[in-house]
Amino acid sequence: MSAIPAAADVLAPDLEVLDLPEVADRLGLPITRVHQLLRDGQLLAERRAGVLVVPADFIAAGGLVKGLFGTITVLRDSGYSTDEILAWLFTEDETLPGSPIEALRGDRGREVKRRAQALAF
């Protein structure tokens, strides 16, 4: 079994995060499926005090936030590391307004994906 990729502790310490069993519970999935989502790059985690955690903002009613996987893929294809992707998703951008993850949660995925694509150039 391959290791689960994880970022260093790059997010704000007050950001709500969930450990992997909590993620599995909220998504209604077995923990092994959450591990697979992380290995496949459809979900991102960071390591805090040795524990893998996922930002709670990645989870919406009914599953993962719409557009999250596509945005992660665009950024990864552009050469961004997991650390950089997490940092970008949670960095405030006054032109959005808010952070890219807030925009995704607010159903503004097209704009977020457009900005992610622009970062590649």
Side-chain angles (χ1 to χ4, degrees), residues 3-10 20 38-39 43-48 50-54 76 81-84 86:
I4 297 172
D9 192 357
V10 296
L20 299 189
L38 290 165
R39 280 193 293 275
L43 186 61
L44 301 176
E46 78 172 6
R47 194 171 298 279
R48 284 191 179 176
V51 176
L52 284 175
V53 295
V54 171
R76 193 164 317 279
S81 69
T82 300
D83 293 40
E84 293 167 326
L86 278 172

Side-chain angles (χ1 to χ4, degrees), residues 20-40:
L20 299 189
E22 290 175 298
V23 172
D25 184 55
R26 288 199 186 182
L27 293 175
L29 299 172
I31 189 77
T32 55
R33 181 67 180 120
V34 173
H35 292 169
Q36 192 63 49
L37 290 170
L38 290 165
R39 280 193 293 275
D40 291 347

Side-chain angles (χ1 to χ4, degrees), residues 46 70 92 110:
E46 78 172 6
E92 292 292 318
R110 277 194 172 154

Side-chain angles (χ1 to χ4, degrees), residues 60-100:
L64 295 175
V65 169
K66 182 180 174 186
L68 178 64
F69 173 61
T71 303
I72 291 170
T73 299
V74 168
L75 292 169
R76 193 164 317 279
D77 288 351
S78 299
Y80 278 65
S81 69
T82 300
D83 293 40
E84 293 167 326
I85 295 169
L86 278 172
W88 184 79
L89 284 168
F90 286 91
T91 298
E92 292 292 318
D93 182 341
E94 60 190 43
T95 63
L96 270 174
S99 66

